Amino acid sequence: MDGTIVINEGTTFMVTDTSGNVPRGTPLGLFRSDTRYLNLYLLQIDDKELIPLSFTRKGYIANISLTNPALKGEKQDIPEGTLHILRTMFISTNFYEKMFVKNTNPFPVKLKLSLSYDTDFRDIFEVKGVSVHRKGLRAIIEGEEGKNIILRYEGLDNVIRRTEFYFKPTPQIYWDTALFNVELAPYETKEIDVEVVMTLGGVPVIRQEYVEAKKEIEESYDRWQRGLTQISTDNEMMNNIIDTCIVDLRSLIINTKKGLLVPAAGIPWYDTIFGRDSVITCFQTLMLNPSLSASTLRFLTLYQGTKVDTWTDEQPGKILHEIREGELANLHHIPHTPYYGTVDATLLYLILLSEYYRWTGDTGLLSDIRYGAEAAARWMDDYGDIDKDGFVEYIRMSERLGLQNQGWKDSHNSIVFSDGRLAAPPIALSEVQGYAYDAKRRYAELYPDDGFGKRLASESVRLKEKYDEAFWLTEKGFYAEALDKDKRRVDSITSNPCHGFWSGILAPSRAEALAKRIMEPDMYSGWGIRTLASSEAAYDPQSYHNGSVWPHDNSIIAWGLKKYGYSEEANTIITSLIQACKYFDYRLPELFCGYPRKEGEAPMIYHSTCSPQAWASGSIILFIQTMLGLYPDASQNILYVKPTLPDWLNIVTIKNMMVGGEKVSIEFKRVKGVTTYEVIGKAGKIKVEPL
């Protein structure tokens, strides 16, 4: 969200304005587990707003510098800019803030700092605009001996949610305001501590001192980073981008109730587990830490569909789209309990399992979730192929709040003909056929002793042939975005078919035409590949899916281009996205607008983009893997490499990368246009060989 500060940890996040405040009547606030625990959090000095100076944020923590307006009192005037207020906010077990208030005047001052607060305990879907006509019971409770305040809400789901405030030093406490009377000697600094505890149901209140809580979260981040592949380059901007990416990925990891670590999709609206997003993020980051993929696969298997349910779009073997745990989900007013309205997560689940095995050789996981893998594979033919024509399709079952479109471009108008008409379901998406082809092929490789797997291998060959025949647009030299209910080719030029480079479904004879076409100006904006060509009737550079640029989409396309031998095109895409990062605080947002790149102008942010977003952050790691050309085969103790560094990157060093449970370190160098590599350390039997 533009013009905001976001900090997050697990399922808790705080979104403020650039002063660190949450004004009433905005979608900002402190959220946990799909509930807003603060909808007002406002710091003022002598009833006036403070002046923002600057801020920094990093995952769970933000530092916000403010100063005072001119203050006139009965006994003293305080000139503007002579007080410095530093707000340090972070999220650990709870939400914490420490305010440092410094007087830079040569005379003493008396201040009245007020912190106003309130909560509406609204479900995140309500904050996003879903209308709810009934609410539970809200109460305000004064804490122990007037030292704190508790805001309590008993929802219609019979769950009690509480927001508790604790202050140091103890202020004058009112039901909606804490008032601190601060006296400062010349050049003196004083501190104010705030702790906000959010509880759900019968979970006991857990409090921690500021220093202890900060140390705990810092150590958690240190442990995370020590378990990763270490990546460094000779390019300072790239190093900053990698560092930001690592922190953002860590901040999005949810420690689920099952004890499994799974990446959430993004902040603020998608701070929960999405099947598609979590799987793609794990795929993108396998070279960084494959253990995240193992826990994600186990979690998704636990929640795999077992029955047909038209309210949640559940089907046997299907992988969830999204899971929520707020009041509306508990009351089944929304179908996200979990909701299964996704056509591709089930296929991507199988692809991730296969790619995880290539990196690790972990036969234990293959055995443990074999029943889930088989159920997912059977879903393709039993339920995914709606009209039994050999293609995987979707049509919404959950009419009231289900998604009309169920691929990754899931906005209502994203599947559109060249003349602007919307496609009618059942819809067979271009990229989904590639995923299905790849999933069937990979399942057969994972379970070669399985007669079912052998059948899928044969089906994958037929699907590849049939795909080319059904989706190829002869007059445009491109593949269709989709087939509609009447098997008409949806003839817009989009990024969808370009995922076929990744899946391998593209006929080699077609690959060059696609590789050239997507680099033409109507598809390649200069900042990346657009979702929809600017030459199409429905093109809108400020739309969600019809002409915007999505980093994860580009990372998949670049990875696939490299596999097909188009390293130059892949590096061009990667370079443009890396250059865009410097305009977004060294991070890639969920998406940005698809306007053409102009000299000296920054890319335009999409108006309600999520940042950080897991698969946008994961794109950075997949970009690195693409440039280095890393192709593991852990079962054979081999890591194949085919590096092609772009001209702005001369040295990349990776240390302690896990392949087959063993560590390998490699240095890549670009000299006179040629990229070479040297193994600088390894343990075990892993061999590094050129591809």
Side-chain angles (χ1 to χ4, degrees), residues 36 51 102 221 245 327 367 376 426 525 534 627-628:
R36 181 159 67 177
I51 300 170
K102 180 178 178 61
Y221 270 68
C245 160
E327 183 179 7
S367 176
S525 73
S534 62
M627 292 186 291
L628 301 184

Side-chain angles (χ1 to χ4, degrees), residues 164-206:
E164 305 193 11
F165 299 87
Y166 298 88
F167 308 101
K168 187 191 294 184
T170 302
Q172 295 173 249
I173 295 178
Y174 305 92
W175 73 270
D176 63 349
T177 303
L179 184 62
F180 299 88
N181 293 304
V182 181
E183 297 185 13
L184 293 169
Y187 311 110
E188 184 182 13
T189 299
K190 287 189 175 179
E191 300 176 8
I192 297 172
D193 285 355
V194 182
E195 181 181 7
V196 182
V197 181
M198 297 150 280
T199 60
L200 176 68
V203 176
V205 173
I206 299 175

Side-chain angles (χ1 to χ4, degrees), residues 152-172:
R152 179 185 184 275
Y153 173 73
E154 184 173 353
L156 294 175
D157 57 355
N158 298 317
V159 175
I160 295 174
R161 297 168 175 85
R162 292 157 53 115
T163 305
E164 305 193 11
F165 299 87
Y166 298 88
F167 308 101
K168 187 191 294 184
T170 302
Q172 295 173 249

Side-chain angles (χ1 to χ4, degrees), residues 242-262:
I242 293 168
D243 290 345
T244 301
C245 160
I246 297 301
V247 170
D248 286 346
L249 286 168
R250 165 59 187 81
S251 75
L252 288 165
I253 292 176
I254 294 174
N255 189 354
T256 68
K257 295 174 183 177
K258 304 293 184 180
L260 297 167
L261 302 180
V262 184

Side-chain angles (χ1 to χ4, degrees), residues 354 357 363 366-367 370 373 439-458 635-636:
S354 166
Y357 178 70
T363 57
L366 292 190
S367 176
R370 181 167 183 162
K440 290 183 176 186
R441 185 171 58 90
R442 287 175 181 259
Y443 182 92
E445 292 175 354
L446 290 174
Y447 304 107
D449 59 333
D450 190 331
F452 174 58
K454 293 175 181 177
R455 191 188 92 193
L456 291 183
S458 298
S635 65
Q636 300 300 315

